[in-house]
Amino acid sequence: MSIQSWVAIAVTLVTVWALIKRYETRLVLLAAGLFLCCISLDPMYGLDAMGKSMTNKSLIMAICGSMGFAFVASYTQCDRSLVHYLASPIRGLGIFLLPVCTTITFFINIAIPSAAGCAAAVGSTLIPVMLRAGIKPAAAAAAVLGGTIGSYLSPGTSHNVFVANMAKMSEMDFIAYHSTFSLMCGAILIVGIALVAFILGDHKGDKNAQVDESKLQKMDFVPSPLKAIVPFVPIAILVLGNTCLPAIKMGVAQAMLIGAIAALVIARANPQQLTKEFFSGMGKGYADVMGIIIAAGVFAAGLRATGLIDTAVAALKDSNEFARWGGSLGPWIMGVITGSGDAATQAFNEAVTPHAESFGMTIPGLGGLAFLTGALGRTMSPLAGVTILVSGIAMVSPIEVIKRTAVPCIVAVVACALLMV
């Protein structure tokens, strides 16, 4: 390898350290990528990569449209109505509340693809229900946390859009490709968390259990069955349009806008404020989600400029086992130690996944493997924002929560690595 490649390895290690220390993700990736381009005497390569990512039409439409709709669903309280009607029938199930609550969270997370947003809406309702049923706080929080990988079946999730574009297929076709594995991961967590909780005796109750009332959502709302349907309107349009009703086939952004209009009509909301919320969500989507994609693109450009990517691809051509375990364990480990699977997953998919066919794999297979295992890593990280959120609601240590999710997540990672590619 060249000296530049060795420098790239050193910079990558420093980047990992900085992410572990929880420095701003976009700053770390941008700085590392531009530095590598500069030492390769090609700074414009990094700047051009940033410009290209900033104007990726399909990514911007899907991600910003989805975040805009998420803000509208929250503003009109459609998300809370959905949680209310799903939670009402399950009271009094005892230990079986755990798998049921994980399942409910999983499917709500498809309609509300933000892990933290979903956990806030679901956790504030379901965690008190589980505590009153005699479930220990750590298990109650783990049940909600385990369901927050459902977003990977959502057409608005950035990784679905990113990998689908790379593989030159539609978002819905890519979701159909990995849906079996995503559901498999969900099933492993649903059953696994319940088994771990049973072994630890979490169904025997805790007399001192309580919730942090300050973290619960305000109760000044009246649930509506029509509002509860709204979060599924865009998903229904996209699924039907890509299957049995091709006449309504459309893009993610268009479906999300229709969903927002449905929320406006059903909730009889203030159209001016709803419009502000929609565009605020779009801006948040660009800043937070597209921002990481852009920064990861610059970092990957830096690695390519130093020649490290070409060296790695040449090595992987000799054995796809390295790619299989690198694509699963790399994003998973980074997800665990940083609390976010997004940065590592985006960097991996930007740099390595385009070359999947060179070492006997497919782009959808390797790309899907990376983002699923990255999400599983986040789900067993005590540093993840969603872990801290559900732990705060249940008033328990994040470490206690992770004790319930770690083993099922590890089993799911190994299953993905063995079966997806």
Side-chain angles (χ1 to χ4, degrees):
M1 290 196 304
S2 66
I3 294 177
Q4 292 169 323
S5 295
W6 285 110
V7 172
I9 293 174
V11 170
T12 301
L13 294 175
V14 173
T15 301
V16 171
W17 172 84
L19 292 173
I20 294 172
K21 299 295 288 184
R22 301 182 72 80
Y23 289 109
E24 164 58 41
T25 301
R26 291 161 294 188
L27 171 64
V28 171
L29 294 175
L30 278 173
L34 290 174
F35 174 76
L36 291 175
C37 288
C38 288
I39 66 168
S40 301
L41 303 180
D42 193 4
M44 286 304 299
Y45 191 58
L47 297 175
D48 289 341
M50 181 173 181
K52 180 180 179 181
S53 297
M54 287 175 67
T55 55
N56 189 315
K57 181 177 69 173
S58 55
L59 279 176
I60 293 171
M61 288 174 63
I63 292 168
C64 294
S66 297
M67 286 295 289
F69 176 69
F71 270 51
V72 167
S74 177
Y75 165 66
T76 56
Q77 298 185 329
C78 292
D79 54 353
R80 295 181 65 187
S81 290
L82 173 62
V83 173
H84 173 83
Y85 285 105
L86 289 177
S88 296
I90 68 172
R91 304 174 194 274
L93 292 179
I95 184 64
F96 296 105
L97 267 174
L98 288 171
V100 170
C101 288
T102 305
T103 303
I104 288 174
T105 307
F106 183 90
F107 285 103
I108 290 178
N109 197 206
I110 299 174
I112 308 173
S114 164
C118 175
V122 175
S124 61
T125 299
L126 294 187
I127 289 177
V129 169
M130 285 186 275
L131 296 186
R132 286 193 289 269
I135 305 296
K136 289 185 178 179
V144 174
L145 176 61
T148 57
I149 63 167
S151 62
Y152 289 95
L153 290 172
S154 170
T157 298
S158 61
H159 299 291
N160 282 327
V161 183
F162 186 80
V163 178
N165 284 345
M166 190 186 304
K168 294 180 173 58
M169 58 197 303
S170 73
E171 294 92 340
M172 298 308 296
D173 286 341
F174 178 59
I175 291 172
Y177 172 85
H178 70 73
S179 60
T180 301
F181 305 106
S182 296
L183 291 170
M184 175 192 72
C185 292
I188 291 172
L189 264 66
I190 289 166
V191 175
I193 291 172
L195 286 176
V196 172
F198 182 79
I199 291 170
L200 295 177
D202 289 334
H203 59 295
K204 297 177 181 178
D206 183 348
K207 294 181 180 179
N208 298 318
Q210 55 184 320
V211 296
D212 187 346
E213 299 290 341
S214 68
K215 290 185 171 62
L216 299 184
Q217 294 188 346
K218 296 179 181 179
M219 300 303 295
D220 57 343
F221 91 108
V222 178
S224 163
L226 289 177
K227 285 185 180 181
I229 298 173
V230 169
F232 289 111
V233 168
I235 297 173
I237 292 172
L238 291 169
V239 171
L240 292 174
N242 282 272
T243 53
C244 56
L245 288 176
I248 64 169
K249 185 175 183 178
M250 63 184 71
V252 174
Q254 293 89 328
M256 295 298 168
L257 182 57
I258 291 175
I261 295 171
L264 172 66
V265 174
I266 291 173
R268 291 176 293 178
N270 183 328
Q272 294 190 87
Q273 186 59 38
L274 184 139
T275 302
K276 290 178 182 178
E277 292 291 335
F278 185 81
F279 283 98
S280 292
M282 289 181 63
K284 185 76 171 174
Y286 195 94
D288 290 355
V289 183
M290 279 298 300
I292 292 178
I293 294 174
I294 293 167
V298 175
F299 179 64
L303 296 178
R304 282 194 294 269
T306 60
L308 182 61
I309 295 298
D310 292 336
T311 302
V313 170
L316 290 172
K317 286 180 180 178
D318 297 328
S319 175
N320 70 353
E321 290 301 312
F322 288 108
R324 177 199 303 272
W325 294 106
S328 56
L329 297 184
W332 170 65
I333 291 171
M334 285 299 295
V336 173
I337 62 181
T338 66
S340 170
D342 287 343
T345 300
Q346 290 290 3
F348 182 91
N349 279 338
E350 179 82 35
V352 179
T353 301
H355 306 281
E357 295 178 357
S358 300
F359 32 88
M361 296 182 178
T362 64
I363 290 176
L366 187 56
L369 174 65
F371 80 67
L372 278 177
T373 55
L376 291 165
R378 180 265 296 162
T379 308
M380 58 176 287
S381 172
L383 301 176
V386 64
T387 304
I388 295 169
L389 174 64
V390 295
S391 301
I393 293 175
M395 297 184 70
V396 66
S397 166
I399 298 297
E400 291 299 315
V401 177
I402 296 309
K403 288 179 181 177
R404 276 79 178 169
T405 61
V407 173
C409 284
I410 292 171
V411 172
V413 168
V414 174
C416 285
L418 293 175
L419 299 175
M420 282 194 74
V421 292

